[in-house]
Amino acid sequence: MSNTSTPQKPPPPLTPTARAWRRFRRSKLAVIGLFMVALMAILAIGAPLIAQYDPLKNDLLNRAKPPTVEHWFGTDRTGRDVFARTIYGGRISLMVGLVAVTLSVTIGTILGLISGFYGGIVDNFVMRLTDVIMSFPPIVIIMASIPITANLLSSDNSILAIMAVIGLLTWPQLARLIRGQTLIVRETDYVTAAQSLGASKARQMFVHILPQCLAPLMVFATFGIANAILLEAGLSFLGQGVQPPTPSWGNMVESARSLDILENLPWTWVAPGIFTVITVVSINFIGDALRDAVDPRSK
Amino acid sequence: MIQYIFRRIFINIPVLIGITMVVFIAIALAPGDPMSSFISPELATDPAMLARMRAEFGFDQPLYIRYFNWLAQVLQGNLGYRIKTYDPVLRVIVERIPATLLLMSSALLIGITLGVPLGIYSALKKYSLPDMILTAGVFLGVSTPAFLIGLGSLFLFCLQLRWFPAGGMHTLGQEESVLDTLHHLALPAFILSANYIASMLRYTRASMLDVINEQYVTTARAKGLSEPIVILRHALRNALIPIVTVIGFSIPNLLAGAVFTETIFAWPGMGSVFVDGVNSRDFPLVMGITLITATTVLICNLLTDIAYAFINPKIRFG
């Protein structure tokens, strides 16, 4: 008995997910992006273990020191370690991005599904609502809403208000994407089959149609995180975001609105700035490759 | 064509009503009593007088009636009065608009004159080294927050190299001159256009790549036309159709970018006064600017749709 006599079994066909993963890996930039995002996540999650200094503790003997071996990124005006503040700031910035996007994806998906599935008046109402929200430049409506939301939540926790407002105001694009996809999938034979077998409307929407919308959803969520990080940074920069002394990338850069710090302590704002850019560029690389990988039209 | 334009206008009416509702709800929910600020401070000198004026304006009615009373005031040009200075909000906005328009139109011009040709070049030299450098630049341009580019340039060009003034629109104590304004305008306009150049480049490249393999382009080449004519007259004309849409739809982003650029460079436009308003909780001003920007965006979208119809023969003759 030899191995040659047994017929070689053909390799099993790849699942769509495996095919998408293979296409994704082909993009070098995406792999680099994935690596950088993982690094940022590790720095953020492990901040208490990695940082040798308390991000909030002043050290009046070591004020405004440029980068040294003890303080990798230097210290700020009150002697706080910039490296510690940067990685603790990453926790806040990444968390705001994740939570805000989760909220906006949930709203966008549900409203998009309902809008496309029911059509008629419901569809019209939801689509006009997206038109209305998209008429406001994002930073303008978010800036205007944050004091009001913070007041309604009656909390001093600015982070909560930021996540809520970004999440509540960035879903329209996704709702439109999901609606378009739902309109197509709704007419397919297997949805009709499910319907004639007595599947409830909710089951048709969430079990049969939703899986077909996962590709645009994932791509939106990826770009959405990058976008939310930029929005948080922008808000904090304008003084409406995460309130000091809690560090976030945006409010660390904000300190450089004083020309003195901008000119004389560049390390305090360059570090969080570079971290923001690296994170956002990396996420955009991932999003781009993901879009190509899950698009059935691409080879 | 006329019918198409009217249909577009008609569709946008409910959206405009929706915008006013959102702003009204925000005013109603805002802490303090922003409704009172719609009454001229000269008329409402004491609490009894204020209460009488509120009744006269119909601001003591239930919420949905108050909306219409508020809308009536807005339509008459009463956007309320600033909390601290008592300036009418509409006047503040009108005073600030020219500076913002100057900044935005300069950025738009820079974005188009640099973004479109670079995009065409990038598409024609697909996958070459310059194309890859430009694509990398696009990624960086889209991913770098406007305020970071702003701060970086302020640091480099104003503080280190001292090529440009660090803020404002005119040199103080000097007579206003066009040259002086241009000198102040150059850096903020370039920074505001940075993200815009990137997105114009990206869309032009994609749009050119879409049309460049079309059969009519091959036909034009087969007829023996010179390459510039093939590209400019046959390919670009069709590629421009989606690009016009991008120009229109990027107005909200430019407005948002102006908020940062104006704040960094102390440019006396709507963006910087908006940030002041939010930070000092001056809700009448904030809501007034929000309402005006959203309406502007809506009008720009409408004009984009109409422009699109003009250049796209499928709609023009449809």
Side-chain angles (χ1 to χ4, degrees):
Chain A
M1 214 157 86
S2 69
N3 281 339
T4 45
S5 63
T6 50
Q8 196 81 52
K9 258 219 285 203
L14 287 168
T15 61
T17 317
R19 266 204 304 269
W21 172 239
R22 181 178 278 193
R23 278 197 297 263
F24 180 84
R25 259 186 339 199
R26 214 180 293 152
S27 161
K28 282 195 199 72
L29 289 178
V31 177
I32 297 173
L34 212 55
F35 176 75
M36 292 310 296
V37 170
L39 187 69
M40 290 293 171
I42 291 170
L43 282 178
I45 296 167
L49 301 172
I50 299 164
Q52 287 148 339
Y53 299 91
D54 181 340
L56 302 178
K57 198 163 158 259
N58 299 334
D59 177 1
L60 299 180
L61 293 175
N62 283 307
R63 280 181 304 179
K65 286 270 157 43
T68 53
V69 182
E70 291 94 59
H71 296 279
W72 296 347
F73 291 179
T75 60
D76 67 7
R77 268 279 131 84
T78 52
R80 295 175 298 193
D81 182 57
V82 175
F83 178 71
R85 287 182 68 73
T86 306
I87 59 177
Y88 272 94
R91 294 187 123 184
I92 305 287
S93 297
L94 293 178
M95 185 180 72
V96 169
L98 277 178
V99 176
V101 166
T102 310
L103 186 61
S104 115
V105 163
T106 313
I107 301 174
T109 305
I110 293 176
L111 284 184
L113 276 174
I114 290 176
S115 186
F117 190 80
Y118 285 97
I121 287 185
V122 181
D123 181 32
N124 234 315
F125 178 76
V126 175
M127 284 304 109
R128 290 299 81 75
L129 190 62
T130 63
D131 283 339
V132 170
I133 295 182
M134 285 165 81
S135 297
F136 295 95
I139 197 80
V140 172
I141 180 106
I142 290 173
M143 283 274 283
S145 315
I146 280 189
I148 299 170
T149 314
N151 184 53
L152 289 181
L153 293 171
S154 61
S155 80
D156 299 327
N157 192 346
S158 52
I159 300 171
L160 204 63
I162 295 162
M163 294 189 298
V165 170
I166 296 181
L168 286 173
L169 292 171
T170 50
W171 55 266
Q173 288 90 336
L174 180 67
R176 287 187 175 184
L177 280 175
I178 301 276
R179 170 186 175 266
Q181 188 73 10
T182 306
L183 284 177
I184 300 168
V185 179
R186 192 180 62 171
E187 304 300 329
T188 53
D189 287 341
Y190 70 87
V191 175
T192 319
Q195 193 182 358
S196 48
L197 285 171
S200 69
K201 290 203 161 79
R203 193 178 161 80
Q204 287 174 50
M205 275 193 277
F206 289 99
V207 178
H208 296 285
I209 299 180
L210 183 58
Q212 297 300 314
C213 303
L214 282 181
L217 193 152
M218 271 161 50
V219 174
F220 173 87
T222 311
F223 285 124
I225 293 175
N227 201 16
I229 291 175
L230 282 182
L231 278 174
E232 182 277 320
L235 284 171
S236 301
F237 177 76
L238 293 173
Q240 287 306 313
V242 178
Q243 297 302 318
T246 309
S248 88
W249 291 340
N251 72 18
M252 290 176 74
V253 177
E254 195 260 352
S255 68
R257 270 169 74 184
S258 122
L259 286 185
D260 171 43
I261 291 182
L262 181 69
E263 186 164 17
N264 301 320
L265 278 73
W267 55 89
T268 59
W269 59 272
V270 167
I274 289 179
F275 270 60
T276 315
V277 175
I278 290 179
T279 310
V280 173
V281 171
S282 304
I283 295 175
N284 282 340
F285 280 154
I286 297 173
D288 246 32
L290 201 59
R291 184 168 51 198
D292 293 343
V294 296
D295 184 355
R297 279 167 304 179
S298 71
K299 342 157 224 68
Chain B
M1 182 68 195
I2 300 284
Q3 199 193 352
Y4 171 84
I5 293 176
F6 272 107
R7 202 167 57 224
R8 294 312 308 176
I9 294 176
F10 188 71
I11 291 176
N12 278 304
I13 291 174
V15 180
L16 185 60
I17 296 172
I19 290 173
T20 60
M21 281 179 174
V22 169
V23 173
F24 174 74
I25 292 170
I27 293 179
L29 290 177
D33 181 18
M35 281 316 262
S36 294
S37 63
F38 279 83
I39 291 152
S40 167
E42 285 155 29
L43 293 176
T45 39
D46 63 303
M49 193 67 193
L50 184 68
R52 239 186 57 209
M53 289 301 294
R54 282 179 67 97
E56 202 171 300
F57 276 41
F59 287 170
D60 52 355
Q61 305 283 324
L63 196 68
Y64 64 96
I65 298 179
R66 225 187 314 160
Y67 166 70
F68 290 106
N69 293 331
W70 169 81
L71 196 61
Q73 290 298 319
V74 169
L75 289 177
Q76 290 169 40
N78 177 9
L79 288 176
Y81 295 82
R82 290 194 69 171
I83 299 264
K84 287 203 187 84
T85 60
Y86 301 131
D87 293 324
V89 169
L90 188 66
R91 206 183 72 206
V92 176
I93 294 176
V94 170
E95 278 169 5
R96 295 277 185 151
I97 278 180
T100 299
L101 274 186
L102 177 65
L103 185 64
M104 277 179 61
S105 47
S106 316
L108 203 67
L109 204 68
I110 297 172
I112 295 170
T113 45
L114 285 181
V116 173
L118 284 176
I120 297 172
Y121 179 79
S122 194
L124 295 179
K125 307 267 165 172
K126 198 177 153 194
Y127 301 136
S128 68
L129 187 65
D131 174 39
M132 290 196 187
I133 293 173
L134 285 176
T135 307
V138 166
F139 259 110
L140 221 57
V142 171
S143 310
T144 311
F147 62 84
L148 211 59
I149 304 181
L151 278 185
S153 328
L154 190 66
F155 178 70
L156 187 66
F157 296 116
C158 304
L159 298 178
Q160 301 294 324
L161 299 170
R162 307 210 172 261
W163 287 354
F164 295 101
M169 201 168 164
H170 309 286
T171 310
L172 289 176
Q174 202 176 317
E175 208 164 321
E176 287 184 19
S177 70
V178 178
L179 217 63
D180 185 44
T181 308
L182 279 180
H183 192 210
H184 281 80
L185 173 69
L187 197 56
F190 252 101
I191 286 154
L192 182 54
S193 69
N195 292 21
Y196 193 58
I197 297 172
S199 60
M200 279 312 282
L201 202 162
R202 182 196 257 184
Y203 282 107
T204 309
R205 181 178 183 273
S207 186
M208 275 305 271
L209 286 178
D210 270 349
V211 298
I212 214 138
N213 292 322
E214 290 284 340
Q215 291 185 346
Y216 58 78
V217 176
T218 317
T219 311
R221 283 214 180 92
K223 283 197 299 190
L225 296 178
S226 70
E227 195 59 22
I229 292 203
V230 173
I231 296 303
L232 292 179
R233 198 173 294 164
H234 293 258
L236 184 62
R237 270 183 82 165
N238 288 289
L240 275 182
I241 295 175
I243 296 173
V244 167
T245 329
V246 177
I247 297 176
F249 289 143
S250 54
I251 301 292
N253 287 331
L254 272 179
L255 272 167
V259 172
F260 292 104
T261 320
E262 289 184 6
T263 307
I264 293 169
F265 288 94
W267 188 259
M270 279 212 293
S272 49
V273 81
F274 175 76
V275 175
D276 287 347
V278 175
N279 287 335
S280 61
R281 301 287 184 266
D282 194 340
F283 287 105
L285 179 71
V286 169
M287 294 309 164
I289 294 180
T290 309
L291 183 64
I292 298 278
T293 46
T295 314
T296 312
V297 170
L298 191 72
I299 293 171
C300 287
N301 288 352
L302 183 66
L303 293 178
T304 310
D305 281 342
I306 294 174
Y308 186 74
F310 265 108
I311 54 169
N312 189 348
K314 280 183 202 156
I315 298 181
R316 194 171 40 192
F317 300 115

